[in-house]
Amino acid sequence: GTYMLVLTVGLNVLTKSVAGAFSISASLMCMIYALGTVSGAHFNPAVTVAVVASRRGKCSPEEGAKYIVVQLAAGILAARTYCLLTGDSFMSLKPDGSQWGQVFIAELSGPQ
């Protein structure tokens, strides 16, 4: 699910598609209906962290960690697939004048 979500977002947003919002939401809706009962719709680490943090017994911290590792790997593979399909580089996603360490910390800290 994470792979398809990241690839769909990349192909729509980075190519400036006019149908981005529709395409991304339709993709996510289909994945939730198709895979929601399998994985609980854990399509990104934020969802997994929220489910684990809720302590409702739906996902143990150990299982959540496994989901997050796979989600991160799937996101990286989707970014590579985007690059192969479009010939672009995902390195351009980093703001000019920033180091990758700064970008990583900014991503972890959330919206400013």
Side-chain angles (χ1 to χ4, degrees):
T2 303
Y3 175 87
M4 289 307 299
L5 181 60
V6 171
L7 183 60
T8 302
V9 169
L11 289 171
N12 281 279
V13 173
L14 298 176
T15 60
K16 297 176 178 55
S17 170
V18 296
F22 176 74
S23 176
I24 293 164
S25 61
S27 171
L28 187 57
M29 179 192 66
C30 291
M31 288 188 298
I32 289 171
Y33 278 109
L35 302 171
T37 58
V38 176
S39 71
H42 292 243
F43 295 131
N44 69 49
V47 172
T48 302
V49 169
V51 171
V52 171
S54 74
R55 297 184 182 184
R56 296 182 318 167
K58 300 278 185 182
C59 183
S60 69
E62 294 80 18
E63 188 177 33
K66 292 175 187 175
Y67 271 118
I68 290 171
V69 168
V70 172
Q71 291 162 347
L72 293 174
I76 292 167
L77 288 174
R80 295 298 302 151
T81 302
Y82 166 82
C83 293
L84 290 171
L85 289 172
T86 63
D88 288 345
S89 168
F90 63 88
M91 297 301 190
S92 62
L93 297 177
K94 179 181 70 69
D96 293 334
S98 298
Q99 301 297 319
W100 278 109
Q102 294 169 315
V103 172
F104 181 74
I105 290 170
E107 284 294 321
L108 288 179
S109 65
Q112 300 300 320

